């Protein structure tokens, strides 16, 4: 007998909850903010809006469905199932945080703070949940979903990392990253580099970190679309020296292209979508290939 669908509600701790946890009480948190020229009521109101949205989403789950909740900090320990419909309640970035843990499950993004969030990935309101959940599993539901391109990094020891916005490879602690960089199909040409790291981003990431680097460079490269099987990559602050070059600092990767990076530092890390706590650990001599991921976020 098949299992009933499960609605997995993903959320994150609010700023208000973090403040109270840190300072002990509402009053102490209010005093702390007031000493820095801020009013806790603004923070508390955003907290209340989030809680109302979570309650409304939970109430909209059909009675015949199962239901689960997971906080952002616990995503790497939560087991998603094939029959899940994932409801992300919060900011756009929370959709990116959950994307790497999914394998084709449909995702519905619910905006808890319209006007404050860009709404690129959280496109719906809590009141729409009752109609969206059954529609996500209805026959022909694929016509109403958008298949977003993702990026992956695969190390030579089989470690694998997937991200929706971008993957960053560099040294922890903002130290200089040393490595050799090359592209598939370039007849084996590589360049030794010392830099602040390498950023590889998708069309979804083109609304975030990738776009800021692209604007700063004034690059002639066209930003990819969200569903386009194309990535952009940038080397951040490459340093020229007798032993390191700066000729390979930006480019694009199509569906079959791969950026190859061989570590020449004691330790480098690769992480996706700002989740540095869930990263690949790379040591001297290891190599990693970064390119378009075969999986999509629905």
């Amino acid at each position: 007998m098949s299992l009933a669908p499960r609605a997995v509600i993903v959320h994150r701790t609010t700023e208000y909850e973090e403040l109270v946890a840190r300072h002990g009480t509402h009053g102490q948190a209010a005093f702390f903010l007031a000493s820095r020229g801020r009013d806790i009521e603004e923070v508390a109101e955003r907290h209340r809006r989030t809680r109302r949205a979570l309650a409304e989403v939970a109430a909209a789950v059909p009675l015949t469905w199962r239901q689960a909740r997971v906080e952002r900090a616990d995503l790497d320990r939560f087991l998603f199932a094939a029959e899940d419909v994932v409801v992300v309640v919060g900011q756009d970035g929370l959709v990116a945080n959950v994307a790497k843990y999914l394998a084709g499950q449909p995702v519905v993004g619910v905006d808890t703070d319209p006007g404050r969030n860009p709404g690129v990935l959280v496109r719906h309101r809590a009141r729409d949940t009752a109609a969206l959940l059954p529609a996500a599993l209805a026959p022909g539901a694929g016509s109403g979903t958008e298949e977003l391109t993702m990026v992956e990094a695969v190390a030579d020891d089989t470690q694998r990392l997937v991200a929706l916005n971008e993957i960053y490879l560099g040294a922890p602690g903002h130290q200089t990253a040393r490595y050799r960089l090359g592209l598939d199909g370039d007849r084996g040409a590589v360049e030794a580099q010392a830099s602040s790291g390498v950023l590889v981003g998708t069309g979804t990431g083109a609304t975030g970190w990738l776009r800021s680097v692209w604007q700063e460079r004034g690059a002639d490269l066209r930003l990819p679309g969200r569903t386009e099987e194309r990535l952009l990559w940038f080397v951040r602050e490459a340093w020229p020296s007798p032993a390191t070059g700066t000729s390979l600092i930006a480019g694009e990767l199509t569906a079959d292209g791969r950026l190859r990076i061989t570590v020449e530092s004691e330790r480098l890390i690769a992480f996706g979508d700002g989740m540095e706590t869930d990263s690949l650990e790379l040591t001297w001599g290891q190599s990693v290939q970064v390119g378009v991921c075969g999986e999509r976020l629905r």
Side-chain angles (χ1 to χ4, degrees):
M1 191 167 91
S2 60
L3 290 172
R6 181 175 66 166
V8 179
I9 301 172
V10 180
H11 65 100
R12 66 171 300 173
T13 304
T14 65
E15 184 183 4
Y16 175 80
E17 289 171 325
E18 291 173 346
L19 282 166
V20 172
R22 177 181 176 186
H23 297 284
T25 67
H26 172 92
Q28 289 174 324
F31 176 80
F32 170 78
L33 288 183
S35 68
R36 285 157 174 77
R38 291 188 64 191
D39 184 358
I40 197 171
E41 185 53 35
E42 172 203 348
V43 179
E45 177 55 30
R46 291 206 306 274
H47 167 76
R48 288 191 289 268
R49 284 200 294 269
T50 298
R51 289 298 146 192
R52 286 195 296 267
L54 282 168
E56 191 171 354
V57 167
V61 176
L63 294 177
T64 56
W65 287 33
R66 296 171 297 141
Q67 187 177 144
R69 284 199 188 191
V70 57
E71 208 275 331
R72 177 182 183 266
D74 299 322
L75 283 171
D76 61 342
R77 297 185 294 275
F78 186 84
L79 183 61
F80 289 94
E83 66 275 6
D84 290 343
V85 176
V86 182
V87 187
V88 176
V89 183
Q91 302 170 331
D92 291 306
L94 192 54
V95 177
N97 294 153
V98 75
K100 63 185 291 183
Y101 303 107
L102 303 180
Q105 295 93 335
V107 177
V108 176
V110 174
D111 193 348
T112 58
D113 205 353
R116 184 180 178 90
N117 296 322
V120 176
L121 297 172
V122 285
R123 306 170 186 173
H124 306 288
R125 304 293 182 263
R127 62 178 177 270
D128 303 324
T129 307
L132 289 167
L133 287 179
L137 293 181
S143 61
T145 62
E146 191 175 25
E147 304 277 337
L148 303 183
T149 298
M150 301 179 72
V151 55
E152 71 172 355
V154 182
D156 56 6
D157 62 358
T158 73
Q159 290 186 88
R160 181 172 179 262
L161 177 69
V162 175
L164 177 62
N165 285 342
E166 72 278 317
I167 285 178
Y168 168 77
L169 186 143
H174 303 287
Q175 299 178 19
T176 300
R178 298 183 182 277
Y179 53 87
R180 298 182 71 84
L181 182 146
L183 289 163
D184 283 354
D186 61 0
R187 299 181 182 178
V190 295
E191 181 173 72
Q193 293 186 342
S195 75
S196 297
V198 182
L199 186 73
V200 186
T202 67
T204 305
T207 63
W209 192 5
L210 182 72
R211 187 179 189 89
S212 67
V213 178
W214 176 81
Q215 286 181 304
E216 184 181 276
R217 292 286 181 84
D220 295 330
L221 298 168
R222 179 178 60 85
L223 287 170
R226 289 196 296 262
T227 61
E228 190 177 354
E229 291 189 330
R230 190 169 63 90
L231 310 173
L232 293 189
W233 60 270
F234 294 97
V235 176
R236 300 174 64 236
E237 301 168 328
W239 177 255
S241 76
T244 57
T246 60
S247 64
L248 296 175
I249 57 171
E252 66 177 21
L253 296 172
T254 56
D256 298 327
R258 290 292 183 270
L259 189 68
R260 293 180 287 104
I261 298 169
T262 303
V263 180
E264 292 190 341
S265 296
E266 184 62 32
R267 175 175 175 249
L268 295 184
I269 61 171
F271 63 87
D273 299 332
M275 300 283 281
E276 190 172 350
T277 55
D278 189 7
S279 61
L280 302 186
E281 296 278 341
L282 305 165
T283 59
W284 189 284
Q286 277 195 276
S287 63
V288 61
Q289 294 192 9
V290 187
V292 173
C293 180
E295 300 160 7
R296 300 288 183 269
L297 179 71
R298 298 180 60 216

